[in-house]
Amino acid sequence: MFGLSVETTLLVFGFPLFWIIYTAVFLYRTKHWSEGDTQQDDSA
């Protein structure tokens, strides 16, 4: 693609794509963390 080797193409396009997917999954999984903080047991 664009005259680049396969390895370079994977680095240039693969890493940002991985990072976007990783960030989206992280934000989705941590969306309701603040709700869990309000339900803690303070008996300790």
Side-chain angles (χ1 to χ4, degrees):
M1 178 182 283
F2 305 118
L4 300 173
S5 66
V6 174
E7 294 84 8
T8 305
T9 303
L10 289 176
L11 284 174
V12 169
F13 296 105
F15 183 75
L17 181 63
F18 164 78
W19 194 252
I20 290 168
I21 293 170
Y22 176 87
T23 303
V25 170
F26 175 81
L27 291 174
Y28 176 76
R29 290 181 52 95
T30 60
K31 187 172 17 175
H32 300 292
W33 271 7
S34 61
E35 292 176 7
D37 292 342
T38 59
Q39 299 172 355
Q40 290 179 350
D41 184 15
D42 293 329
S43 64

